[in-house]
Amino acid sequence: MAAKAEPWQTAEVPGPKKAMVITNPRIVAALIRRSKNPVLIVGSMAPRIKLSGGDLVDYAIRIAEAAGMPIVSSPSVLGEFLNRGFRRVLSMPVVDIANRLTDADWKGVENKGQHDLAIFMGFKYHVCWLILSGLKHYSQNLKTVSLEMRYQPHALWSFPNISEEEWEKNLNEIIKEFKQDKMILNKVKEVKE
Amino acid sequence: MAAKAEPWQTAEVPGPKKAMVITNPRIVAALIRRSKNPVLIVGSMAPRIKLSGGDLVDYAIRIAEAAGMPIVSSPSVLGEFLNRGFRRVLSMPVVDIANRLTDADWKGVENKGQHDLAIFMGFKYHVCWLILSGLKHYSQNLKTVSLEMRYQPHALWSFPNISEEEWEKNLNEIIKEFKQDKMILNKVKEVKE
Amino acid sequence: MVSEKNIRVKIDELRSSIGLLKGVEFSIGKVVSEEWLEEIGPTQFPKITDLREWDFKLLQRYKPFYMPFCDLCCLCTFGKCDLTGDKRGACGINMSAQQSRIVLLACCIGAATHTSHARHLLEHLIEKYGRDHPINVGGLNVEVEAPITRLVCGVKPRTLGDLEEVLNYLEQEIVRLLAATHTGQEASNLDFESKVFHAGMIDHVALEVADIAQISALGFPKADPEAPLVDIGLGVVDSTKPVIMVVGHNVPSAAAIVDYLVENGLYGGVEVVGLCCTAHDTTRYNPKAKIVGPISWQLRFIRSGLADVIVVDEQCIRADTLIEAQKVKAPVITTSDVNCGGLPDRTKDKVEKIVEDLVLGGQPGAFILDPEKAAEVAVKTALLIAPKRMKFKAIPDVSDIVEGAKKCRKCDDCRRACPNDLPIRDALAKVLEGNLNALASLYEACIGCGRCESACPVDLPLHSYIVKAAEKRIKEEKYKIRVGRGAIQDVEIRNVGSPIVLGEIPGVVAFVGCANYPNGGTEVAEMAVEFAKRRYIVVASGCAAMSIAMYKDEEGRTPYEAFPGAFDAGGIVNVGSCVSNSHIAGAAIKIANIFAKRRLRANYEEIADYILNRVGAVGVAWGAMSQKAAAIASGFWRLGVPVIVGPHGLKYRRMLLGRKDNPEDWYVYDARTGEKVYVGPAPEHLFYAAETKEEAMVMIAKLCMRPNDTTKGRAIKLSNYIDLHKRFFGTIPDDIHLFVRTLADVPLTMREEVIKVLEEKGWKENVIPDPTLLPRLVKKKVGE
Amino acid sequence: MVSEKNIRVKIDELRSSIGLLKGVEFSIGKVVSEEWLEEIGPTQFPKITDLREWDFKLLQRYKPFYMPFCDLCCLCTFGKCDLTGDKRGACGINMSAQQSRIVLLACCIGAATHTSHARHLLEHLIEKYGRDHPINVGGLNVEVEAPITRLVCGVKPRTLGDLEEVLNYLEQEIVRLLAATHTGQEASNLDFESKVFHAGMIDHVALEVADIAQISALGFPKADPEAPLVDIGLGVVDSTKPVIMVVGHNVPSAAAIVDYLVENGLYGGVEVVGLCCTAHDTTRYNPKAKIVGPISWQLRFIRSGLADVIVVDEQCIRADTLIEAQKVKAPVITTSDVNCGGLPDRTKDKVEKIVEDLVLGGQPGAFILDPEKAAEVAVKTALLIAPKRMKFKAIPDVSDIVEGAKKCRKCDDCRRACPNDLPIRDALAKVLEGNLNALASLYEACIGCGRCESACPVDLPLHSYIVKAAEKRIKEEKYKIRVGRGAIQDVEIRNVGSPIVLGEIPGVVAFVGCANYPNGGTEVAEMAVEFAKRRYIVVASGCAAMSIAMYKDEEGRTPYEAFPGAFDAGGIVNVGSCVSNSHIAGAAIKIANIFAKRRLRANYEEIADYILNRVGAVGVAWGAMSQKAAAIASGFWRLGVPVIVGPHGLKYRRMLLGRKDNPEDWYVYDARTGEKVYVGPAPEHLFYAAETKEEAMVMIAKLCMRPNDTTKGRAIKLSNYIDLHKRFFGTIPDDIHLFVRTLADVPLTMREEVIKVLEEKGWKENVIPDPTLLPRLVKKKVGE
Ligand code: SF4
Ligand code: SF4
Ligand code: SF4
Ligand code: SF4
Ligand code: SF4
Ligand code: SF4
Ligand code: SF4
Ligand code: SF4
């Protein structure tokens, strides 16, 4: 695991503070559950990354819906979300959302105040690397999670460098976690009713 | 283990190529055995580092004697070796020995030609760090091993950051390995005779 | 006020040692500054802090957002220091100050490069053409010959010699700025940023000095919208002839080669081909020269073996040129003291002896500081060595690629080393299936850096594999580029000033900088063509200008053939090499001066305020990679021109971002009343990195909006913005309410959908002020 | 030849526009250069490559050994690039070129800092004292007033005004050198190293310009061996008075404070204490001022709360001064455009208003570019704020330390952040056992960087803990330092020239540079005392000169009290601040010029060759940390003076090491015969980092040997070398056979043991030549 948790681009060495490795997708689910105001940030590569169960836009939608959180999408991906019927999405250049995430007074994508968790997927490697660097240094109350296929050292949590198969499996497991949650919740509701 | 194999001085991040972690002292013994012309390089801190079984000069002598290799000592430690009756030692500033180790034509400390293995102990952390960096980049046929207590990322092999106790145990095990060698060799000889 | 002071030095010397020459004082003063009648403004030869107030106004609105490229600082032996989060280094510095310090360092390097380039070029030209050689960049068509120099320095250079004092000032400022990066100097990131702006301004003056000097002395096109079209592309080289390749930015040795060939009747017999800006400038000198391409073509062209002799001057030259050239047995001549390349100094040796050593002695190259001698050696060597070399190349055959592919360990180290994350290993795997297409398809996005090869544990020459796989396509790389025209004519400014300022020409879009593109140069060409079609004024320079050429429309026309070279709506204007970027800034300044009659001389703040609020100009450096590019960008920022970079531009480690959601940031003074008026986020950002070409294009359209737009102009700009947004993103933008001041701003054809957004957002009507950020420009104070 | 050229500019202007002033040409030429009769040498105002041949000779013998401080390059957005081993970056650069490029960058920053310091200082002095103010650094005692400037530039400055042209040249060269660090410029590491030397040479000129200007104008001691003794140490501050602390390197604001106090009869009532070089220069200006200490004392002194107002100028100022000062409620005044600190620009505001804002308005500080105004504000603020602040401090009580120790998580992050790997956690653990000694014992080796505090996850103010623990000791920190004397007198040179060159004075050892010591400043003092006792000439400057003061012998005398201040055997000479380092280089040059009568003017190679082969001078920068220190060191290298640094100096990432085991490296020409003669490895290294003080001392003795030593001189040097080696390492050195040329070289008292070594090593006798590396200095060619 250790060797795999190296920056994917060999030279993009971050420094002393490096992302913890997500050894189990449940960690992600737990982080989201514990978050008061999470946001999923999806980059311009998302529609171009095709997995067996859909492209990364599909996965973003599934995760956002399962976990009940809004998406901020890179402008060029906005249409993809809307076309697929996902509405809880705001389009914003990634530098803008990152900049806002460093402002304690920002009201957040849904006017609920600053976010405490930002989850990233669908970016060029070095773009995500740098954006996460900005957040690591300048938004110390924000937890960041990378769901990219490659280790993102500037996140607080990241997958290591994994295969496409493993990646897809992990994404599915995160979604499953929440589905189970919902089932349980529904059951609880049923019981209560 | 992974977290422990970080530079001891937090900021002395090396870059993409980092030392393999010596998980078992036998690795060191094996490296020395496989080497045609090893050398042990001992720094100025050696006499000041006291372990329960002696200071680092003692350990250097034990290792060199057990493994049958010469020592290059920092000038200020030379007297310590001589006083303890160890004669297979050459005194040389560490920058000089390092510089010579990058010269393919150098004849080595005992005129047997360039060394293929250099083992380091007894240096200030950053001194060893930088010297090993020079060797990593400029003596590509040389294997380097750090026997320091702290992870030295520019070596080819290094202990991770370990406790003094663990360190001493490891050093003793290396020595033991060679003693066993010698016992076996002696036995072989006995049998042959 | 360096220049003035230096002049005084002389006077005092005269006075103190000779006594009787007191009257000289006035005469000297007159020469340099007093024959120009325009009243001097407040900031002549400004020092670092003279424009700090203006900088802080910009930085207040466009706050730096840092993305550290490294958590550490390693600038002194107190370090390395870990600056993560709120940690401080051993010198007490924090991360924001450190990041801005590195940006300043980069801009100092950039400005120093242009300034010393200008200095050496000028020394050479003065030696050759005399100190009195007049500055002439466009004859009667260009009266404002040096808008940046006039603006910054408050002097009006008439001759080459006049430019020397300007350079003295630039050097003094750069040294001071560089000093600020020393451990234990500047403590505040905002002050570092202000210094970054200063470095950028200095850089722009240097660009202008260099280009107007060479235009004047070397007979480059003088503001000619119809500068000739020349050949560009790897496929244009006539390989039957001896080929001399010139690389770099400083034209004297290349010009000397052309001269030598012409003088000796050899011109038809030898090909002179250029790479990077020296290529631009060689074609400006003689349009028979040819251009290979931008910096990213260096490795592939050297390895092609077509060049028999390689002459490098300075800047953007691969550091391994000598190693690569030796692979194809082509001698290298270095000609600049900033890149001697470790070669023996042959400057004082006899030409014949040098040639002999290169041709017969097998010496890898020579360092020759004298351009004329270097030229003669280059030509003679090329003629003699060409038959021996027989275009010996270092590009593999297909069978080599197959062999290589077999050796591949599938470690992916190549991809992990590739700046563009290209899937080389996968492409090699396809080779073993007999398919070279995957490899060939990497060609466009490959910036030719060679890092994949360095990384490969089995030393496969992967870049060469890609080039070989794309061979057919490369042979077809034959395009046309319009020679760099230099300055913009005053009359062109007069004609477009009003439509630009009022918004009827929706904007001036400048494609500049290097070739570190994320997906290849075609993107630049596509952007340029799109905006030219939309009747923006498109200008270009450097590598970007070359990339624009390497594109053909359905009818097979390159953009320079399809669009006119005039500085007018729908033109695509190649100004020239990197130093010609000065004409782009110059055009913006001239709009304020010539069209709007704002005083130019040493009046920086007012002009920058004018541009920021009124001139819808945007710089796009899609492949910006160098420290020079950083300096050029910062020169634009201080002048109020926003700059967009491609995704690699994030590595400049900080953006200057506006917050459209903070209304308080977008107030200006109404110069008519002194009231503070909300004008919306126009322009929204000062430095912005886009992830994709589409994102960049929408942002270009958006950043062209300025507070002063007339309703008609704003409607045109909005319609471009909305149209592009819809086309690329599928929706109408959700921020248009911020840009509609009155209903007259709403584009007629989009009325319904826009009004819908306005209603949703609770839009209210605003006034359109006479906008300024400078209280002193308010004609009537509130309450007066 | 910049200066000449600039002069010509003026002339041409006169000629072209006025016509009748042709004769001026000669007069002007005369002023600057022709009144000095010495014939001009070959390298006036040398350009980068003019001394390349000399540099390559040095680099051939002293090859760079690189220890990369990082495997990566991150200088442009092509990067980061992994340059490990033989990899190349995206620009084609390799690791050696990259490391030397970074060294060049550091030296450019250093040289720029000194040059712009000189420029600003000179501007200020000219404004105040006039351009015609004469250069006078030692009256009749110093005829060669500017040895470095004469040597490098070939001009002889007579007035402050004459120095401006020199600065123009320096600025031009720095900008050019900086340009070479741009991506895609210099490709060869050796050429980068040659440029490093050039930057160093430029830096030395800048140092000289700055110091001779301030000595001349401000009445500093003029080459006075008996300059007064002043107080130094944290314990010398009279805390009953209002205290103004001045920090930095550029004296005008500190001098203005002294002036203002004197003029207003306030001098006795206010303490002016200095840190770093401004402290040196303030005492040179007025010996009633006091020195707190070197750079590493900044944090502890601010936190002590003793300073009521902090005035910073430029260089070596902690970037967190404002934050730390706010903790103790002391306002900060920034006075330099290279360190504005983000404070509001109050330069044009009224003094009373600024004071009010600082004292009553609670403003943290002000940026005031005008030294006189800054001074007035500082004094008035100090007087008013002192009673309010009541020396409010940020140093904890012992009970706080105990509480802190309880909170400690034992993570060791503090130690891992500490440059000197100090066991802070262990010391804190001892505190809980009621023992503060372990903490106090860290004080000496603590360089006051504060990184431990930044690293601590529970935010313990660890540096303050250490300071508090050592409180008793700190109160006793009362020492004496001799005020910086400036230049060395010509007569002193005449007296010591012969014994130095012949070897009878075994060497000149210069302790210079910053306070990044591995084990505290005492080591520097001990080294200085040892060599003074051995009758070397010991010189010192900057922080090192301060550290030497902070030491007492058995009789309680500080070194400056125990040893004379004369430039003679056994003297300890404080030349002054960092810019006074020029007098050390100057002394070496003057030995060649005044004693040996070598021509000085623009005759660089010959003088450097002379020094390398004959003047046993060694620089020791035990705590060197800055880019300035790097530049100063490289100035010494080009001049043939080896430099030793402490272990942190390895972080400069390359050494220049000789190989004594390669005899072929140690041949020189015998100037008498032209023959090549083996002279042994003297001096063995050009840039060397020692692990320990002992190692450094033995190396100092060894590096003082030079090929020209007489047998008597060599015997003395050898006996020092052998004696120190035996004392510290317990054995006779194993390389003495390389330094014994004839048996007469063998020290009499060591004859037996030396001969034994010689026999073991198969030593053979050698001749002692008239050594030179320059073929042109050979009087008679072999075979002639
Ligand atoms: S400049 Fe400051 S932060 Fe950088 S290494 Fe030096 S002390 Fe550390
Ligand atoms: S040469 Fe091309 S493929 Fe290779 S690393 Fe560079 S950009 Fe990638
Ligand atoms: S680096 Fe070389 S061996 Fe590794 S995958 Fe790439 S081509 Fe194959
Ligand atoms: S545009 Fe950039 S890469 Fe191209 S030549 Fe200019 S600086 Fe170099
Ligand atoms: S700043 Fe650059 S050179 Fe320095 S440690 Fe970081 S990556 Fe390495
Ligand atoms: S300067 Fe060269 S090695 Fe450094 S980052 Fe840029 S391309 Fe890479
Ligand atoms: S302040 Fe002292 S103890 Fe703390 S890290 Fe710095 S040197 Fe070490
Ligand atoms: S960093 Fe702080 S908590 Fe950790 S060991 Fe040091 S003092 Fe204790």
Side-chain angles (χ1 to χ4, degrees), chain C residues 329-452:
Chain C
K329 303 182 180 163
V332 173
I333 299 171
T334 59
T335 60
S336 164
D337 59 358
V338 293
N339 183 5
C340 314
L343 289 169
D345 189 345
R346 309 298 301 266
T347 310
K348 288 175 189 150
D349 295 353
K350 289 227 170 68
V351 168
E352 305 308 330
K353 181 72 187 107
I354 308 172
V355 173
E356 189 190 317
D357 289 344
L358 296 176
V359 177
L360 301 173
Q363 288 199 1
F367 167 48
I368 307 174
L369 253 183
D370 170 357
E372 272 79 26
K373 184 175 281 182
E376 193 178 337
V377 170
V379 173
K380 290 188 168 157
T381 303
L383 290 169
L384 287 170
I385 213 167
K388 293 185 56 179
R389 284 188 63 253
M390 302 201 314
K391 304 295 178 195
F392 184 82
K393 68 181 165 63
I395 300 285
D397 292 331
V398 172
S399 61
D400 297 328
I401 302 182
V402 174
E403 282 315 300
K406 285 182 193 155
K407 287 196 206 122
C408 168
R409 293 189 193 164
K410 312 210 180 309
C411 63
D412 247 346
D413 283 355
C414 45
R415 178 172 184 172
R416 293 179 60 189
C418 174
N420 284 338
D421 204 14
L422 297 181
I424 307 162
R425 174 189 111 174
D426 303 346
L428 273 192
K430 293 265 166 62
V431 169
L432 290 181
E433 300 167 12
N435 179 355
L436 279 175
N437 288 343
L439 208 50
S441 75
L442 302 179
Y443 180 76
E444 161 77 5
C446 168
I447 59 164
C449 69
R451 279 199 337 216
C452 47

Side-chain angles (χ1 to χ4, degrees), chain D residues 374-667:
Chain D
E376 192 178 338
V377 171
V379 173
K380 290 188 167 157
T381 303
L383 289 169
L384 288 169
I385 213 168
K388 294 186 57 182
R389 283 188 65 252
M390 302 201 313
K391 304 295 178 196
F392 184 81
K393 68 182 166 61
I395 299 287
D397 292 330
V398 172
S399 61
D400 296 329
I401 302 182
V402 174
E403 282 315 298
K406 286 182 193 156
K407 285 195 209 126
C408 169
R409 292 189 192 163
K410 312 209 180 309
C411 63
D412 247 346
D413 282 356
C414 44
R415 178 172 185 170
R416 292 180 61 188
C418 174
N420 285 336
D421 203 15
L422 297 180
I424 307 162
R425 174 190 112 176
D426 304 345
L428 273 192
K430 293 266 166 61
V431 169
L432 290 181
E433 300 166 12
N435 179 353
L436 279 176
N437 288 342
L439 209 50
S441 74
L442 303 179
Y443 179 74
E444 162 76 6
C446 168
I447 58 165
C449 70
R451 278 198 339 214
C452 48
E453 301 184 352
S454 271
C456 179
V458 291
D459 289 330
L460 301 179
L462 299 164
H463 176 58
S464 295
Y465 286 0
I466 294 171
V467 171
K468 177 68 185 174
E471 188 175 35
K472 232 176 81 198
R473 171 162 172 197
I474 292 170
K475 288 219 175 102
E476 286 160 14
E477 275 189 356
K478 295 183 187 181
Y479 307 93
K480 291 284 180 191
I481 184 169
R482 194 177 300 284
V483 164
R485 58 169 280 180
I488 309 304
Q489 298 182 6
D490 295 356
V491 63
E492 289 176 297
I493 298 290
R494 251 176 236 115
N495 291 341
V496 300
S498 164
I500 287 176
V501 169
L502 302 179
E504 291 150 19
I505 291 179
V508 181
V509 189
F511 294 94
V512 303
C514 338
N516 192 17
Y517 308 128
N519 304 303
T522 316
E523 292 194 336
V524 179
E526 287 164 352
M527 287 192 265
V529 167
E530 177 70 34
F531 282 95
K533 281 188 187 155
R534 289 176 178 269
R535 313 228 11 104
Y536 287 67
I537 303 175
V538 173
V539 291
S541 67
C543 288
M546 295 187 190
S547 293
I548 289 175
M550 295 172 160
Y551 174 88
K552 286 179 183 162
D553 62 16
E554 310 75 45
E555 296 157 50
R557 293 178 310 172
T558 63
Y560 291 106
E561 293 167 304
F563 297 90
F567 190 79
D568 201 352
I572 296 188
V573 183
N574 174 18
V575 286
S577 54
C578 281
V579 290
S580 309
N581 277 316
S582 53
H583 307 301
I584 301 174
I589 294 168
K590 293 212 292 189
I591 290 170
N593 175 233
I594 297 176
F595 161 70
K597 307 232 167 4
R598 298 290 179 123
R599 279 216 318 265
L600 183 57
R601 187 177 189 184
N603 194 25
Y604 194 93
E605 280 185 330
E606 181 173 345
I607 296 288
D609 179 67
Y610 183 94
I611 295 170
L612 177 70
N613 284 303
R614 294 158 202 265
V615 180
V618 180
V620 184
W622 195 237
M625 70 89 191
S626 69
Q627 299 86 359
K628 289 182 290 169
I632 294 174
S634 33
F636 279 115
W637 301 329
R638 197 180 229 185
L639 211 48
V641 178
V643 175
I644 296 173
V645 286
H648 286 295
L650 287 170
K651 295 182 194 163
Y652 283 119
R653 55 203 97 182
R654 79 102 171 67
M655 302 282 113
L656 296 169
L657 300 174
R659 284 283 298 274
K660 62 182 178 189
D661 55 331
N662 288 347
E664 64 275 18
D665 291 351
W666 306 102
Y667 279 78

Side-chain angles (χ1 to χ4, degrees), chain A residues 11 13-15 129, chain B residues 11 13-15 129, chain C residues 69-75 80-81 98-99 102 653, chain D residues 69-75 80-81 98-99 102 653:
Chain A
V13 174
W129 194 96
Chain B
V13 174
W129 194 96
Chain C
F69 203 19
C70 178
D71 294 351
L72 308 168
C73 172
C74 57
L75 282 182
K80 304 183 183 179
C81 295
Q98 170 61 6
Q99 294 305 306
I102 295 290
R653 55 201 98 183
Chain D
F69 204 19
C70 179
D71 295 349
L72 308 168
C73 173
C74 58
L75 283 181
K80 301 181 185 182
C81 295
Q98 170 61 7
Q99 293 305 306
I102 296 291
R653 55 203 97 182

